[in-house]
Amino acid sequence: ENGAVFKPLTHQYARDQVTGRAKYTADIGLPPEGLHAALVTSTHAHATITNINPDNALSLDGVEGFYCAKDIIGNNNIQVFRTSDDVVFADGEVSYYGQPIGIVVAKDAETARHAARNVEIQYSPLPITHSYHNADNYFATEPIYSNKSRKAEVKFEGDNQVTPDRVIKRGDAGSVLDRARNVVSGVVDLHNGQYHMYLEPHNCVVVPRGGKALYNDNPEITVYSSTQSPSNVQSVVCQALGQPLKDVRCRVHRIGGGFGGKQLRAGLIAAAAAVPAQALNRPVKLVLSREEDMMFCPGRSPVFATYKVSYDKDENNNVHITAGEFDVMLDGGYSQDYSVDVLETAMFVLDSAYRLPADLTINGRACSSNKGSYTATRGFGKPQAAAITETVVDHVARDAGVDPNLLRASMLYNKGDATFTGQPIGDSALRQCWDGVMDGAAKYNNNNNN
């Protein structure tokens, strides 16, 4: 009666995947004239590039060329999403360890990687922003999701160096907290972001006109990419090559996992490979190692939050949270990418599954740091928000001396409630799920205690 639940159903692509018949972008073979590429990456988190010398790499047998920012005929500064703060190759300054500085192309992948390690880069180190704890630069854009909030006042402050970029305010939390008898405060530091861990790392094959494309079309450039956003790959490659959109096609076979990590990051990898492909008019294949991928695309955004919450407790040990102030800081890495969107999502769903108090203030800002650019990850701010809220509920319950699960049950949204942004709750699925889990846990405990 549970439908597909608990049944060992075979995934429709399982046989192809376990037998190796399923082909991914990295499985695409190159024609005889095709070249393999390897990135030359930074060994400093933040530094000025004082010299680049590829002579040793170019002297190796089988190496066909080295390309860096000066060889890009279009734009090196790329608008991946909202702002033009990404670069294909670091130009004059590196902003994180592992940042691409250039690319080597050779007859095979092993030769390309060996040559990339032989490109000599000299640096002059600069101060490093490790995280939000020592950040002094913040991303600021126009409001993104402000129309989502109808019952909470949403403000977007001006000077983001002094005031929070984003403020969600309902009621007067400060006054309630000042008068409250019971107040708890604390921090939530989610500093180790979860990596996407897709099985297939970022990779692409770029085929210029004259190369053998896999489809019956003949644009100037055909890009085969492992991406969740072909249109974004097309846009980024066009910017780097100075080509109109009509002259670049992006094709996607199947993706060996993405989870958000291949939405806005794949275009820069394709653009890096497209530079030598266009210059030499030869197909180029670039596959990142796992280490390169993790530095380039480090995963879920770290978040640091502080909270101050007041509560009342009656003679029956019923606890009611009366006000809350939250400050949320998100580490976006070296470029903005989706960081402001992830921050706003976290702020707007900070209630998670619970009715938050009428008096509520949430401040948020996204900072930059000397790390690879954090990007979309499954959940998109919601896991961070839930972690903050669950920590607060646990803290209040401990301070009040009540069972945290009883407090959770009393705060859960019910059908007919509305979130603090005015979104109506149209069903009782949350309550049914909670009751089902609690009933099942009780039966399990009873059976094991008897």
Side-chain angles (χ1 to χ4, degrees), residues 121-344:
I121 312 289
Q122 293 179 333
Y123 305 89
S124 178
L126 295 171
I128 299 172
T129 299
H130 296 282
S131 69
Y132 30 62
H133 293 302
N134 70 327
D136 56 9
N137 290 310
Y138 302 91
F139 301 120
T141 63
E142 291 299 312
I144 299 168
Y145 296 146
S146 59
N147 63 333
K148 276 192 171 184
S149 182
R150 300 192 295 275
K151 294 190 176 180
E153 179 185 3
V154 181
K155 295 181 179 179
F156 296 85
E157 306 288 357
D159 185 355
N160 65 334
Q161 297 289 341
V162 179
T163 60
D165 286 338
R166 278 134 174 86
V167 181
I168 298 175
K169 186 174 183 179
R170 184 173 71 173
D172 190 352
S175 295
V176 177
L177 287 165
D178 289 340
R179 301 191 305 268
R181 177 178 299 177
N182 303 306
V183 177
V184 299
S185 61
V187 301
V188 180
D189 193 352
L190 307 172
H191 59 278
N192 288 324
Q194 179 186 19
Y195 178 59
H196 298 91
M197 198 49 74
Y198 29 69
L199 295 180
E200 177 196 29
H202 277 281
N203 68 95
C204 65
V205 178
V206 180
V207 183
R209 177 177 286 182
K212 184 179 179 182
L214 303 183
Y215 290 84
N216 292 323
D217 53 15
N218 195 25
E220 291 294 331
I221 296 285
T222 299
V223 180
Y224 303 98
S225 175
S226 177
T227 179
Q228 295 170 261
S229 182
S231 60
N232 186 263
V233 170
Q234 179 192 38
S235 171
V236 172
V237 171
C238 286
Q239 292 176 62
L241 298 185
Q243 298 277 9
L245 289 173
K246 70 178 182 64
D247 287 340
V248 175
R249 304 282 180 88
C250 180
R251 302 295 190 187
V252 180
H253 284 211
R254 53 166 50 86
I255 305 171
F259 318 115
K262 294 178 179 176
Q263 284 188 226
L264 300 185
R265 297 287 91 196
L268 293 167
I269 297 303
V275 172
Q278 184 186 54
L280 299 173
N281 196 33
R282 296 171 68 176
V284 171
K285 182 176 185 177
L286 173 61
V287 181
L288 299 194
S289 68
R290 181 62 64 187
E291 292 79 9
E292 289 171 336
D293 195 291
M294 293 180 76
M295 291 184 290
F296 174 74
C297 187
R300 191 179 303 282
S301 307
V303 164
F304 179 81
T306 62
Y307 61 86
K308 187 176 182 181
V309 174
S310 61
Y311 69 90
D312 289 335
K313 180 181 177 183
D314 63 22
E315 63 277 6
N316 296 318
N317 282 336
N318 294 314
V319 174
H320 174 65
I321 295 178
T322 57
E325 287 183 344
F326 298 84
D327 287 281
V328 182
M329 176 80 80
L330 180 142
D331 184 349
Y334 99 101
S335 67
Q336 182 170 304
D337 196 273
Y338 274 131
S339 292
V340 173
D341 303 67
V342 174
L343 170 68
E344 288 194 14

Side-chain angles (χ1 to χ4, degrees), residues 342-426:
V342 174
L343 170 68
E344 288 194 14
T345 299
M347 293 172 68
F348 278 109
V349 300
L350 198 66
D351 50 350
S352 185
Y354 307 112
R355 291 187 298 274
L356 292 187
D359 296 285
L360 179 70
T361 300
I362 306 171
N363 300 314
R365 63 182 1 180
C367 72
S368 63
S369 65
N370 293 123
K371 290 181 282 188
S373 191
Y374 291 98
T375 187
T377 310
R378 184 67 59 83
F380 206 82
K382 301 178 186 70
Q384 294 97 316
I388 295 167
T389 305
E390 296 294 348
T391 300
V392 170
V393 174
D394 274 335
H395 193 168
V396 170
R398 289 197 307 273
D399 193 74
V402 300
D403 184 340
N405 284 337
L406 293 178
L407 179 57
R408 286 185 170 86
S410 70
M411 294 176 61
L412 281 177
Y413 279 126
N414 294 308
K415 183 177 181 179
D417 289 338
T419 68
F420 71 86
T421 60
Q423 177 68 36
I425 304 298

